[in-house]
Amino acid sequence: MDFKIAVLPGDGIGPEIIEQAKKAIVAIGKKFNHKFHFTHGLVGAIAIDKTGNPLPTETLSLCKESDAVLFGAIGDPKYDNNPAAKVRPEQGLLAMRKELGLFANVRPVSTFKSLIDKSPLKKEIVEGVDIMMIRELTGGIYFGRPQGRSEDGNTAYDSCVYSRYEIERVVRLACEYAMKRKKRITVVDKANVLASSRLWRETALNISKEFKEVSMDFMFVDNAAMQLIQVPGRFDVIVTENMFGDILSDEASVLTGSLGLLPSASIGQYTSVFEPIHGSYPQAAGKNIANPLGTILSASMMLDLAFNLKEEAEMIRNAVEKSIEADYVTEDLNRNNPKSTSDVGDWIANFIK
Ligand code: IPM
Ligand code: MN
Protein backbone atom coordinates (compact mmCIF):
# COMPACT_ATOMS: atom_id res chain seq x y z
CA MET A 1 0.00 0.00 0.00
CA ASP A 2 0.96 3.64 -0.48
CA PHE A 3 0.90 6.20 2.31
CA LYS A 4 1.65 9.91 2.34
CA ILE A 5 3.28 11.16 5.51
CA ALA A 6 3.76 14.84 6.30
CA VAL A 7 6.94 15.14 8.34
CA LEU A 8 7.22 18.19 10.59
CA PRO A 9 10.48 17.97 12.55
CA GLY A 10 10.07 21.40 14.19
CA ASP A 11 12.60 22.76 16.67
CA GLY A 12 15.38 21.66 18.99
CA ILE A 13 15.92 17.90 18.94
CA GLY A 14 12.93 17.51 16.59
CA PRO A 15 14.94 16.89 13.40
CA GLU A 16 17.25 14.29 15.03
CA ILE A 17 14.53 12.20 16.59
CA ILE A 18 12.28 12.36 13.54
CA GLU A 19 15.11 10.92 11.42
CA GLN A 20 15.18 7.83 13.63
CA ALA A 21 11.43 7.31 13.35
CA LYS A 22 11.73 7.57 9.58
CA LYS A 23 14.39 4.85 9.60
CA ALA A 24 12.00 2.52 11.42
CA ILE A 25 9.18 3.32 8.98
CA VAL A 26 11.44 2.76 5.96
CA ALA A 27 12.50 -0.60 7.39
CA ILE A 28 8.85 -1.58 7.81
CA GLY A 29 8.12 -0.44 4.24
CA LYS A 30 10.88 -2.71 2.87
CA LYS A 31 9.78 -5.67 4.90
CA PHE A 32 6.07 -5.45 4.15
CA ASN A 33 6.28 -3.90 0.73
CA HIS A 34 4.52 -0.65 1.59
CA LYS A 35 5.45 2.67 0.03
CA PHE A 36 5.74 5.48 2.52
CA HIS A 37 6.17 8.92 0.94
CA PHE A 38 7.67 11.52 3.23
CA THR A 39 7.26 15.26 2.60
CA HIS A 40 8.85 17.70 5.00
CA GLY A 41 7.23 20.92 6.24
CA LEU A 42 8.17 23.79 8.52
CA VAL A 43 6.55 24.43 11.88
CA GLY A 44 7.42 26.25 15.10
CA ALA A 45 10.34 28.62 15.74
CA ILE A 46 12.19 27.49 12.64
CA ALA A 47 9.10 28.34 10.56
CA ILE A 48 8.96 31.79 12.18
CA ASP A 49 12.63 32.34 11.35
CA LYS A 50 12.17 31.32 7.74
CA THR A 51 8.68 32.62 6.93
CA GLY A 52 7.45 34.73 9.84
CA ASN A 53 4.60 32.27 10.43
CA PRO A 54 4.75 29.37 12.95
CA LEU A 55 2.39 27.35 10.74
CA PRO A 56 2.92 28.41 7.11
CA THR A 57 0.02 27.78 4.72
CA GLU A 58 2.13 25.30 2.73
CA THR A 59 2.63 23.25 5.87
CA LEU A 60 -1.07 23.24 6.65
CA SER A 61 -1.97 22.19 3.09
CA LEU A 62 0.68 19.49 3.22
CA CYS A 63 -0.89 18.12 6.43
CA LYS A 64 -4.36 18.16 4.92
CA GLU A 65 -3.18 16.34 1.78
CA SER A 66 -1.36 13.65 3.73
CA ASP A 67 -2.61 10.44 5.31
CA ALA A 68 -0.91 11.29 8.61
CA VAL A 69 1.46 13.78 10.19
CA LEU A 70 4.62 12.84 12.02
CA PHE A 71 5.61 15.68 14.31
CA GLY A 72 8.82 16.29 16.26
CA ALA A 73 8.69 19.11 18.77
CA ILE A 74 8.36 22.86 18.90
CA GLY A 75 9.68 25.58 21.15
CA ASP A 76 12.73 27.77 21.43
CA PRO A 77 14.12 29.42 24.58
CA LYS A 78 14.35 32.76 22.82
CA TYR A 79 10.54 32.95 22.99
CA ASP A 80 10.09 31.48 26.48
CA ASN A 81 11.70 34.46 28.17
CA ASN A 82 9.92 36.98 26.03
CA PRO A 83 6.24 37.23 26.97
CA ALA A 84 5.89 40.26 24.68
CA ALA A 85 6.80 38.33 21.51
CA LYS A 86 4.00 38.87 18.98
CA VAL A 87 4.47 35.55 17.22
CA ARG A 88 5.24 32.42 19.23
CA PRO A 89 6.11 28.88 18.10
CA GLU A 90 3.28 27.45 20.26
CA GLN A 91 0.76 29.34 18.13
CA GLY A 92 1.75 27.04 15.27
CA LEU A 93 0.83 24.01 17.34
CA LEU A 94 -2.47 25.45 18.51
CA ALA A 95 -3.38 26.57 14.98
CA MET A 96 -2.57 23.12 13.67
CA ARG A 97 -4.83 21.50 16.29
CA LYS A 98 -7.69 23.82 15.39
CA GLU A 99 -7.24 23.65 11.61
CA LEU A 100 -6.92 19.88 11.47
CA GLY A 101 -9.70 19.41 14.04
CA LEU A 102 -7.45 17.39 16.34
CA PHE A 103 -10.08 16.96 19.02
CA ALA A 104 -8.47 14.22 21.10
CA ASN A 105 -4.94 13.72 22.33
CA VAL A 106 -4.30 10.11 23.22
CA ARG A 107 -1.37 9.25 25.47
CA PRO A 108 -0.82 5.67 26.52
CA VAL A 109 1.15 5.51 29.76
CA SER A 110 2.58 2.12 30.60
CA THR A 111 5.72 0.91 32.25
CA PHE A 112 8.58 -1.07 30.81
CA LYS A 113 9.65 -3.76 33.28
CA SER A 114 13.37 -3.14 32.87
CA LEU A 115 12.92 0.60 33.52
CA ILE A 116 10.77 0.39 36.61
CA ASP A 117 13.60 1.71 38.79
CA LYS A 118 13.62 4.97 36.84
CA SER A 119 10.20 5.89 38.16
CA PRO A 120 10.13 8.49 40.94
CA LEU A 121 7.51 6.28 42.62
CA LYS A 122 8.00 3.07 44.58
CA LYS A 123 8.12 -0.03 42.46
CA GLU A 124 5.01 -1.54 44.14
CA ILE A 125 2.98 1.52 43.24
CA VAL A 126 4.00 1.85 39.63
CA GLU A 127 4.30 -1.79 38.57
CA GLY A 128 1.72 -2.79 36.00
CA VAL A 129 0.41 0.73 35.50
CA ASP A 130 -1.39 0.98 32.16
CA ILE A 131 -3.35 4.16 31.63
CA MET A 132 -4.88 5.59 28.48
CA MET A 133 -4.98 9.32 29.01
CA ILE A 134 -7.33 11.12 26.65
CA ARG A 135 -7.31 14.90 26.57
CA GLU A 136 -9.78 17.09 24.70
CA LEU A 137 -7.59 19.23 22.46
CA THR A 138 -9.50 21.91 20.57
CA GLY A 139 -11.83 23.44 23.15
CA GLY A 140 -11.91 24.79 26.67
CA ILE A 141 -9.83 27.63 28.01
CA TYR A 142 -7.17 27.26 25.29
CA PHE A 143 -9.56 28.52 22.64
CA GLY A 144 -12.52 30.04 24.50
CA ARG A 145 -13.51 33.64 23.81
CA PRO A 146 -13.55 36.29 25.15
CA GLN A 147 -9.90 36.30 26.05
CA GLY A 148 -7.86 39.40 26.70
CA ARG A 149 -7.21 42.45 28.85
CA SER A 150 -9.34 45.27 30.06
CA GLU A 151 -8.65 48.68 28.58
CA ASP A 152 -6.67 49.86 31.59
CA GLY A 153 -4.56 46.71 31.35
CA ASN A 154 -5.17 45.73 34.96
CA THR A 155 -7.55 42.86 34.41
CA ALA A 156 -7.10 39.82 32.18
CA TYR A 157 -9.51 37.02 31.35
CA ASP A 158 -9.77 33.66 29.63
CA SER A 159 -12.96 31.71 29.02
CA CYS A 160 -13.48 27.99 29.38
CA VAL A 161 -16.13 27.19 26.80
CA TYR A 162 -17.47 23.76 25.80
CA SER A 163 -20.36 22.73 23.64
CA ARG A 164 -22.15 19.43 24.11
CA TYR A 165 -20.93 18.20 20.74
CA GLU A 166 -17.27 18.73 21.63
CA ILE A 167 -17.69 16.74 24.82
CA GLU A 168 -19.66 13.96 23.17
CA ARG A 169 -17.11 13.14 20.51
CA VAL A 170 -14.14 12.91 22.85
CA VAL A 171 -16.01 10.96 25.54
CA ARG A 172 -17.31 8.59 22.89
CA LEU A 173 -13.78 8.01 21.62
CA ALA A 174 -12.64 7.38 25.20
CA CYS A 175 -15.45 4.84 25.71
CA GLU A 176 -14.39 3.07 22.51
CA TYR A 177 -10.87 2.81 23.92
CA ALA A 178 -12.27 1.51 27.22
CA MET A 179 -14.18 -1.22 25.34
CA LYS A 180 -10.87 -2.55 24.02
CA ARG A 181 -9.30 -2.41 27.47
CA LYS A 182 -10.52 -2.99 31.01
CA LYS A 183 -13.81 -1.22 30.30
CA ARG A 184 -13.31 1.40 32.99
CA ILE A 185 -13.32 5.11 32.38
CA THR A 186 -12.75 8.04 34.71
CA VAL A 187 -14.07 11.42 33.68
CA VAL A 188 -12.03 14.14 35.36
CA ASP A 189 -13.62 17.54 35.97
CA LYS A 190 -14.25 20.26 38.49
CA ALA A 191 -18.03 20.00 38.54
CA ASN A 192 -18.22 21.34 42.09
CA VAL A 193 -17.08 24.73 40.77
CA LEU A 194 -17.27 25.04 36.98
CA ALA A 195 -20.36 25.23 34.78
CA SER A 196 -18.42 23.75 31.86
CA SER A 197 -17.55 20.75 34.05
CA ARG A 198 -21.19 20.23 34.91
CA LEU A 199 -21.96 20.04 31.19
CA TRP A 200 -19.12 17.51 30.90
CA ARG A 201 -20.70 15.31 33.59
CA GLU A 202 -24.18 15.49 32.14
CA THR A 203 -22.95 14.76 28.63
CA ALA A 204 -20.58 11.97 29.68
CA LEU A 205 -23.39 10.25 31.58
CA ASN A 206 -25.53 10.32 28.47
CA ILE A 207 -22.77 8.87 26.34
CA SER A 208 -22.18 6.11 28.89
CA LYS A 209 -25.69 4.83 28.10
CA GLU A 210 -24.37 3.93 24.63
CA PHE A 211 -21.66 1.82 26.25
CA LYS A 212 -23.46 -0.38 28.76
CA GLU A 213 -20.40 -2.54 29.42
CA VAL A 214 -18.18 0.40 30.32
CA SER A 215 -18.20 1.48 33.93
CA MET A 216 -17.79 5.23 34.21
CA ASP A 217 -16.82 7.16 37.30
CA PHE A 218 -16.21 10.85 37.91
CA MET A 219 -13.37 12.47 39.78
CA PHE A 220 -12.51 16.06 40.62
CA VAL A 221 -9.25 17.13 39.06
CA ASP A 222 -7.48 17.90 42.36
CA ASN A 223 -8.30 14.45 43.63
CA ALA A 224 -7.24 12.90 40.32
CA ALA A 225 -3.84 14.61 40.58
CA MET A 226 -3.38 12.97 43.96
CA GLN A 227 -4.69 9.51 43.02
CA LEU A 228 -2.42 9.43 39.97
CA ILE A 229 0.64 9.29 42.20
CA GLN A 230 -0.88 7.36 45.10
CA VAL A 231 -2.73 4.61 43.25
CA PRO A 232 -2.04 4.95 39.51
CA GLY A 233 -2.98 1.29 39.07
CA ARG A 234 -6.66 2.10 39.70
CA PHE A 235 -7.00 3.92 36.36
CA ASP A 236 -7.78 2.44 32.96
CA VAL A 237 -9.01 5.19 30.62
CA ILE A 238 -9.04 8.81 31.78
CA VAL A 239 -10.83 11.47 29.76
CA THR A 240 -10.78 15.15 30.53
CA GLU A 241 -10.95 18.68 29.16
CA ASN A 242 -8.07 20.49 27.52
CA MET A 243 -6.25 22.22 30.37
CA PHE A 244 -6.80 19.55 33.03
CA GLY A 245 -5.56 17.08 30.43
CA ASP A 246 -2.48 19.17 29.71
CA ILE A 247 -1.50 19.04 33.36
CA LEU A 248 -2.54 15.50 34.22
CA SER A 249 -1.01 13.95 31.14
CA ASP A 250 2.37 15.44 32.04
CA GLU A 251 1.96 14.16 35.57
CA ALA A 252 1.02 10.70 34.31
CA SER A 253 3.93 10.65 31.91
CA VAL A 254 6.59 10.81 34.62
CA LEU A 255 5.17 7.74 36.34
CA THR A 256 7.13 5.60 33.93
CA GLY A 257 10.40 7.35 34.65
CA SER A 258 11.32 8.48 31.20
CA LEU A 259 9.61 11.28 29.38
CA GLY A 260 11.68 10.38 26.33
CA LEU A 261 9.77 7.16 25.90
CA LEU A 262 6.21 8.24 25.54
CA PRO A 263 4.32 8.64 22.26
CA SER A 264 1.04 10.35 21.58
CA ALA A 265 -1.58 10.62 18.90
CA SER A 266 -3.78 13.60 18.26
CA ILE A 267 -6.84 12.26 16.56
CA GLY A 268 -8.27 14.51 13.89
CA GLN A 269 -11.50 14.63 11.98
CA TYR A 270 -9.42 14.02 8.85
CA THR A 271 -5.67 13.76 9.36
CA SER A 272 -4.15 12.71 12.68
CA VAL A 273 -0.85 13.87 14.15
CA PHE A 274 1.66 11.62 15.89
CA GLU A 275 4.32 13.05 18.18
CA PRO A 276 6.40 12.25 21.24
CA ILE A 277 5.12 13.93 24.37
CA HIS A 278 8.44 15.51 25.31
CA GLY A 279 9.39 19.00 24.20
CA SER A 280 12.11 20.38 21.97
CA TYR A 281 14.87 19.94 24.64
CA PRO A 282 17.00 22.77 23.19
CA GLN A 283 20.00 22.00 25.43
CA ALA A 284 20.46 18.72 23.59
CA ALA A 285 19.77 19.97 20.08
CA GLY A 286 22.35 18.89 17.50
CA LYS A 287 24.27 16.75 20.01
CA ASN A 288 22.92 13.39 18.91
CA ILE A 289 22.09 12.45 22.51
CA ALA A 290 18.29 12.75 22.71
CA ASN A 291 16.14 9.69 23.22
CA PRO A 292 14.35 8.85 19.94
CA LEU A 293 12.11 6.12 21.39
CA GLY A 294 9.07 8.34 22.05
CA THR A 295 9.12 9.40 18.40
CA ILE A 296 9.68 5.88 17.13
CA LEU A 297 6.75 4.70 19.26
CA SER A 298 4.70 7.56 17.83
CA ALA A 299 5.46 6.17 14.37
CA SER A 300 4.17 2.84 15.63
CA MET A 301 0.93 4.52 16.78
CA MET A 302 0.68 6.11 13.33
CA LEU A 303 0.90 2.75 11.57
CA ASP A 304 -1.70 1.35 13.94
CA LEU A 305 -4.25 4.17 14.14
CA ALA A 306 -3.88 6.06 10.86
CA PHE A 307 -2.97 3.21 8.49
CA ASN A 308 -4.48 0.24 10.32
CA LEU A 309 -1.19 -1.66 9.96
CA LYS A 310 -1.41 -3.59 13.22
CA GLU A 311 1.31 -6.16 12.66
CA GLU A 312 3.74 -3.52 11.43
CA ALA A 313 2.99 -1.29 14.42
CA GLU A 314 3.55 -4.17 16.79
CA MET A 315 6.87 -4.90 15.13
CA ILE A 316 8.12 -1.39 15.86
CA ARG A 317 6.89 -1.59 19.45
CA ASN A 318 8.63 -4.90 19.88
CA ALA A 319 11.89 -3.56 18.42
CA VAL A 320 11.80 -0.67 20.89
CA GLU A 321 11.21 -3.06 23.76
CA LYS A 322 14.13 -5.20 22.63
CA SER A 323 16.44 -2.20 22.43
CA ILE A 324 15.56 -1.33 26.02
CA GLU A 325 16.09 -4.91 27.18
CA ALA A 326 19.46 -4.92 25.39
CA ASP A 327 20.21 -1.66 27.19
CA TYR A 328 21.01 -0.13 23.81
CA VAL A 329 19.70 3.25 24.91
CA THR A 330 20.53 6.96 25.16
CA GLU A 331 22.05 8.70 28.17
CA ASP A 332 18.75 9.46 29.91
CA LEU A 333 18.35 5.71 30.40
CA ASN A 334 21.97 4.66 30.73
CA ARG A 335 24.49 7.12 32.13
CA ASN A 336 27.48 4.79 32.04
CA ASN A 337 27.38 3.45 28.55
CA PRO A 338 25.03 5.63 26.52
CA LYS A 339 24.36 5.19 22.81
CA SER A 340 23.74 8.09 20.47
CA THR A 341 20.35 9.03 19.04
CA SER A 342 21.29 7.80 15.58
CA ASP A 343 22.83 4.58 16.91
CA VAL A 344 19.60 3.72 18.67
CA GLY A 345 17.67 4.54 15.48
CA ASP A 346 19.96 2.29 13.42
CA TRP A 347 19.70 -0.53 15.95
CA ILE A 348 15.93 -0.47 15.80
CA ALA A 349 15.76 -0.25 11.99
CA ASN A 350 18.19 -3.15 11.83
CA PHE A 351 16.16 -5.21 14.26
CA ILE A 352 13.08 -4.73 12.10
CA LYS A 353 14.84 -5.82 8.90
C1 IPM B 1 1.38 20.18 25.09
C2 IPM B 1 2.09 21.50 25.27
C3 IPM B 1 1.28 22.59 24.61
C4 IPM B 1 -0.04 22.66 25.32
C5 IPM B 1 1.94 23.97 24.56
C6 IPM B 1 3.30 23.91 23.93
C7 IPM B 1 1.06 24.98 23.89
O1 IPM B 1 2.33 21.76 26.60
O2 IPM B 1 1.27 19.73 23.95
O3 IPM B 1 0.94 19.59 26.07
O4 IPM B 1 -0.16 23.31 26.38
O5 IPM B 1 -0.99 22.06 24.85
MN1 MN C 1 1.60 20.22 27.94
Side-chain angles (χ1 to χ4, degrees):
M1 290 225 281
D2 268 46
F3 301 96
K4 281 174 78 176
I5 303 173
V7 180
L8 314 187
D11 304 321
I13 56 170
E16 300 158 55
I17 52 177
I18 283 282
E19 258 340 283
Q20 315 317 316
K22 280 172 66 181
K23 287 178 190 168
I25 298 169
V26 168
I28 289 286
K30 286 216 177 99
K31 197 171 175 101
F32 290 84
N33 218 0
H34 299 306
K35 288 212 168 60
F36 297 107
H37 306 276
F38 300 104
T39 313
H40 281 234
L42 292 170
V43 72
I46 182 158
I48 301 178
D49 290 346
K50 297 204 168 148
T51 72
N53 182 349
L55 182 67
T57 3
E58 304 85 78
T59 303
L60 188 56
S61 320
L62 169 66
C63 293
K64 288 184 174 163
E65 287 157 12
S66 301
D67 299 311
V69 181
L70 186 63
F71 193 94
I74 61 160
D76 188 302
K78 74 181 173 212
Y79 296 94
D80 294 345
N81 306 321
N82 178 11
K86 287 247 154 35
V87 201
R88 314 180 60 80
E90 290 79 8
Q91 287 165 347
L93 187 59
L94 296 181
M96 184 177 76
R97 288 176 183 168
K98 204 62 183 178
E99 294 287 338
L100 297 181
L102 306 177
F103 67 93
N105 181 249
V106 177
R107 291 186 178 184
V109 176
S110 57
T111 49
F112 285 88
K113 263 210 177 69
S114 53
L115 294 180
I116 211 103
D117 297 330
K118 304 261 176 234
S119 172
L121 299 186
K122 290 195 198 90
K123 192 172 164 201
E124 313 83 80
I125 293 182
V126 82
E127 232 162 17
V129 162
D130 182 4
I131 303 172
M132 188 59 81
M133 176 71 85
I134 300 182
R135 162 188 178 191
E136 200 291 326
L137 204 58
T138 50
I141 203 163
Y142 273 61
F143 295 96
R145 294 294 179 267
Q147 178 189 65
R149 286 264 189 130
S150 63
E151 249 164 56
D152 69 6
N154 293 329
T155 309
Y157 43 88
D158 299 279
S159 310
C160 184
V161 183
Y162 268 107
S163 64
R164 195 181 292 279
Y165 164 70
E166 290 174 299
I167 304 167
E168 279 170 356
R169 62 180 177 183
V170 70
V171 173
R172 195 171 278 128
L173 181 82
C175 286
E176 282 160 8
Y177 269 96
M179 285 298 289
K180 292 187 223 143
R181 299 169 48 96
K182 296 189 205 117
K183 300 195 168 67
R184 292 203 320 266
I185 177 165
T186 305
V187 181
V188 173
D189 64 25
K190 189 75 185 171
N192 49 348
V193 179
L194 302 177
S196 54
S197 282
R198 288 191 282 274
L199 182 61
W200 265 79
R201 268 197 195 205
E202 184 187 311
T203 309
L205 266 176
N206 279 334
I207 296 292
S208 77
K209 291 180 196 145
E210 295 170 22
F211 298 87
K212 295 253 171 345
E213 288 170 49
V214 174
S215 83
M216 181 180 280
D217 66 351
F218 294 88
M219 197 180 276
F220 295 142
V221 61
D222 45 356
N223 185 23
M226 198 164 72
Q227 305 265 344
L228 260 177
I229 45 171
Q230 271 182 338
V231 268
R234 62 167 287 164
F235 294 106
D236 179 20
V237 176
I238 297 178
V239 65
T240 189
E241 65 93 53
N242 202 343
M243 176 121 111
F244 296 160
D246 177 45
I247 300 166
L248 291 183
S249 58
D250 270 20
E251 185 190 357
S253 69
V254 296
L255 297 177
T256 63
S258 176
L259 213 56
L261 270 173
L262 296 179
S264 84
S266 295
I267 307 296
Q269 285 154 306
Y270 313 104
T271 320
S272 298
V273 175
F274 300 85
E275 60 174 310
I277 72 146
H278 58 72
S280 58
Y281 193 15
Q283 304 86 331
K287 294 190 182 152
N288 202 17
I289 56 172
N291 187 343
L293 297 183
T295 318
I296 296 174
L297 288 170
S298 301
S300 159
M301 281 186 95
M302 178 173 78
L303 299 190
D304 178 1
L305 300 176
F307 306 157
N308 204 23
L309 301 175
K310 307 282 177 204
E311 189 187 346
E312 292 85 336
E314 178 53 37
M315 193 163 286
I316 296 188
R317 249 191 325 267
N318 180 50
V320 167
E321 237 172 87
K322 290 295 180 311
S323 77
I324 295 172
E325 278 164 24
D327 207 15
Y328 203 94
V329 291
T330 44
E331 62 172 32
D332 51 316
L333 299 180
N334 183 344
R335 287 252 153 247
N336 302 322
N337 183 20
K339 299 294 180 292
S340 72
T341 308
S342 53
D343 282 347
V344 172
D346 290 338
W347 194 98
I348 287 174
N350 231 334
F351 189 88
I352 292 169
K353 249 188 210 154

